Amino acid sequence: MPKVNVDKLDDDKKLMIIRKAVEKYGLSYVSQHLGVNRSTVNRYLNRRIQTISDEVVEKAAELLTIEELSDIIYGLRTVEVDPTTAISVIIKAKKDEGFRNFFLTLLWQELGGYIKEPSNSYIVSKEDIELFEKLVRNEKSKLTAQERINYLKRALADLNYELTPTKLKEYILDLSSESKGRAEHTAKALKLFIKEVIKPKSPRIARELYDSFEIPKTKPNHKPINLTLDTVKSIFDNIEELGAKAFFLILAETGLRVGEILSLKIDQIDLKHRIIKIMKESETKRAYISFLHEKSAAWLRDVYLPYREEFIKKYESSLRKLAAANPEQGIDIESWKAKLFPFREDSLRVEIKKAMRKTLGKEFRLYDMRAFFTSYMIKQKVPGTIVNALQGRMSPQQFKIMEENYFVISEIELRDWYNKYAPHLL
């Protein structure tokens, strides 16, 4: 399929395509590529030949990039392409094999660097989980089957039901730093899920997901990067996209887990009282509340939230149409609208990693920001019990013992520790 449908172009646009090709590659090369002599191309350019065959224009278009063709054909109108148009293209690609092959080829040629991570992404459905439960109950003992199911469900919830090589690798490393036993059981469950459920559907993605992490057997040897507050501030300043900037701000100033912040709903953040209500409790971790500095809360209220609202307004209609066209995907519009960060995680990561490279010339794990918060607080002589309470690092049992036998950690006391010693980027 040619890059453009030339039979819908007027003579001026056809001529502009040939002229741009000549400007780019020279008369001799273009005439050879078109299969005509130099004088004929000159006659095209001088309008001595009024009618240019579609075949010639198609060959000339092959020499130009999508951006160059877009400038010629649409000019400034390219900015008017809205999400609805983009979704229409996707739906057509799903239904029309010829168009799909053409569309995907252009995507890889022009946007390959941007779509590498999403192309390795797998969205876990309810049916996938049900299939996994059925398989393990048939093949494993009752106790082992239930164990695998419980670890898988917990991991999928933490990962927001989207698996990518980067997320899986960092997630298992994160678990290993807190509980090697839980990390091992979780890794086994995920490996089995990928092998039995994802591989039959998408072998390529399954292979990349499966190979992205190991089942922990020994103490992890990863050492978090040593970050100063000035370095973290520089990374923050270099993040251009506001969604990623707000996400990094909360990540750095609270030391919470990446998954916890991504899972936050808009009603879990109280900017007036500067409280983040995590309210999450499991067998190995307790993270129930965190805080924000005054300037950060004001920035989120005045800068980020208006940006978030505009983002939702811009894409809600299109997402509803996508959900209607693909009911099997179970797209929950209201849940998406309730998210504090209604963006794709990979997009946030790309923007933050770009700022890391600009600041340091290299990347590091987002989870290392948790280690940064811990080390920063400890250097400020904040007791480890307070740091653990703020970051949800202690088990419910440990927390209960500390409450009953040592001191009562009130919201006011925790806020005081946070206000005095937690890192701030603004």
Side-chain angles (χ1 to χ4, degrees):
M1 183 178 288
K3 278 190 175 181
V4 291
N5 191 356
V6 297
D7 62 358
K8 294 185 178 181
L9 300 181
D10 58 34
D11 290 338
D12 287 339
K13 293 286 194 303
K14 292 178 179 179
L15 179 58
M16 289 171 68
I17 289 174
I18 294 177
R19 179 171 285 118
K20 182 65 177 179
V22 172
E23 291 175 358
K24 189 174 180 181
Y25 292 102
L27 185 62
S28 296
Y29 181 86
V30 172
S31 61
Q32 183 179 4
H33 183 79
L34 301 182
V36 299
N37 56 44
R38 289 163 53 97
S39 61
T40 300
V41 176
N42 267 323
R43 287 199 291 273
Y44 289 148
L45 299 176
N46 296 329
R47 293 185 180 271
R48 292 177 184 172
I49 298 178
Q50 295 295 325
T51 303
I52 307 173
S53 72
D54 289 349
E55 182 182 359
V56 168
V57 180
E58 287 176 358
K59 288 184 178 180
E62 293 173 355
L63 300 174
L64 305 182
T65 66
I66 294 298
E67 289 84 358
E68 290 166 337
L69 288 170
S70 204
D71 287 343
I72 292 171
I73 298 170
Y74 301 108
L76 294 177
R77 284 192 294 144
T78 52
V79 299
E80 298 175 6
V81 175
D82 57 23
T84 300
T85 304
I87 289 173
S88 299
V89 172
I90 292 171
I91 293 173
K92 178 174 175 59
K94 289 178 66 176
K95 296 179 178 179
D96 185 334
E97 182 179 0
F99 179 78
R100 180 167 63 249
N101 293 335
F102 163 69
F103 177 61
L104 291 175
T105 298
L106 288 184
L107 276 180
W108 280 110
Q109 287 177 348
E110 306 297 331
L111 298 173
Y114 295 96
I115 65 177
K116 182 178 180 181
E117 178 68 17
S119 70
N120 295 336
S121 171
Y122 186 87
I123 306 299
V124 179
S125 67
K126 179 181 177 182
E127 290 73 22
D128 289 334
I129 299 173
E130 291 174 349
L131 175 59
F132 179 77
E133 290 188 28
K134 183 178 179 181
L135 289 170
V136 295
R137 291 192 194 283
N138 287 337
E139 298 176 4
K140 306 288 184 181
S141 68
K142 183 177 180 179
L143 183 62
T144 302
Q146 193 58 53
E147 182 181 79
R148 291 283 190 272
I149 292 168
N150 290 343
Y151 277 106
L152 177 75
K153 286 184 175 180
R154 190 182 303 161
L156 293 178
D158 287 342
L159 293 163
N160 293 315
Y161 300 93
E162 181 181 14
L163 307 181
T164 69
T166 300
K167 287 178 70 173
L168 284 171
K169 181 179 180 180
E170 292 198 1
Y171 182 67
I172 297 301
L173 286 172
D174 297 346
L175 286 181
S176 296
S177 67
E178 296 185 3
S179 172
K180 189 180 71 172
R182 184 188 168 195
E184 181 178 351
H185 288 299
T186 302
K188 287 179 178 178
L190 284 166
K191 290 270 191 185
L192 186 61
F193 177 76
I194 294 167
K195 178 182 177 182
E196 299 294 338
V197 177
I198 301 179
K199 185 177 179 181
K201 293 184 176 182
S202 182
R204 181 187 63 81
I205 292 178
R207 183 173 61 253
E208 295 193 33
L209 295 177
Y210 194 91
D211 294 341
S212 65
F213 65 96
E214 300 290 339
I215 297 176
K217 295 295 184 182
T218 58
K219 186 176 180 180
N221 57 11
H222 173 79
K223 291 184 178 180
I225 185 172
N226 185 21
L227 295 168
T228 65
L229 180 58
D230 286 341
T231 299
V232 173
K233 285 182 177 180
S234 295
I235 294 172
F236 174 77
D237 291 338
N238 282 324
I239 300 173
E240 298 178 2
E241 199 272 324
L242 281 179
K245 203 174 185 76
F247 178 80
F248 186 81
L249 176 71
I250 296 178
L251 191 68
E253 292 192 350
T254 65
L256 293 172
R257 300 170 181 87
V258 173
E260 287 169 345
I261 298 175
L262 286 171
S263 299
L264 285 174
K265 305 296 184 183
I266 190 69
D267 61 2
Q268 288 178 266
I269 185 166
D270 181 347
L271 294 179
K272 180 179 179 181
H273 298 98
R274 299 186 286 112
I275 298 173
I276 300 175
K277 303 169 186 176
I278 309 298
M279 300 306 178
K280 176 181 179 180
E281 187 173 300
S282 69
E283 295 176 2
T284 59
K285 56 177 97 165
R286 178 188 181 105
Y288 66 103
I289 195 168
S290 190
F291 304 93
L292 292 166
H293 293 296
E294 285 189 19
K295 288 185 178 180
S296 300
W299 185 86
L300 289 169
R301 181 190 64 239
D302 299 335
V303 179
Y304 171 65
L305 288 187
Y307 170 80
R308 174 188 173 277
E309 290 303 312
E310 285 301 314
F311 180 88
I312 289 175
K313 287 179 183 178
K314 182 176 181 181
Y315 291 104
E316 180 179 358
S317 175
S318 301
L319 193 59
R320 289 189 182 279
K321 292 177 181 178
L322 183 62
N326 300 272
E328 72 282 358
Q329 294 185 12
I331 299 174
D332 189 337
I333 305 296
E334 295 309 313
S335 177
W336 171 75
K337 289 174 62 178
K339 283 178 170 286
L340 179 61
F341 294 102
F343 319 103
R344 282 188 59 89
E345 181 182 349
D346 56 272
S347 299
L348 297 175
R349 286 179 179 272
V350 165
E351 293 299 320
I352 294 172
K353 294 292 179 76
K354 186 164 56 175
M356 289 177 183
R357 292 193 298 271
K358 187 174 181 180
T359 304
L360 296 170
K362 61 181 179 181
E363 300 176 4
F364 57 86
R365 298 187 311 158
L366 289 186
Y367 191 81
D368 287 353
M369 295 306 301
R370 185 166 166 81
F372 158 75
F373 181 91
T374 302
S375 63
Y376 185 87
M377 295 288 276
I378 295 299
K379 289 176 183 177
Q380 307 301 310
K381 309 301 182 183
V382 177
T385 51
I386 297 296
V387 179
N388 287 341
L390 286 170
Q391 292 189 281
R393 193 177 283 106
M394 61 179 60
S395 70
Q397 184 62 28
Q398 287 176 299
F399 190 90
K400 185 177 180 180
I401 291 172
M402 185 176 66
E403 275 189 318
E404 294 177 351
N405 298 292
Y406 295 95
F407 59 95
V408 176
I409 302 178
S410 69
E411 178 184 316
I412 295 175
E413 288 173 309
L414 279 177
R415 184 198 294 273
D416 286 343
W417 283 105
Y418 181 89
N419 288 341
K420 290 178 182 178
Y421 301 108
H424 52 90
L425 306 189
L426 295 174

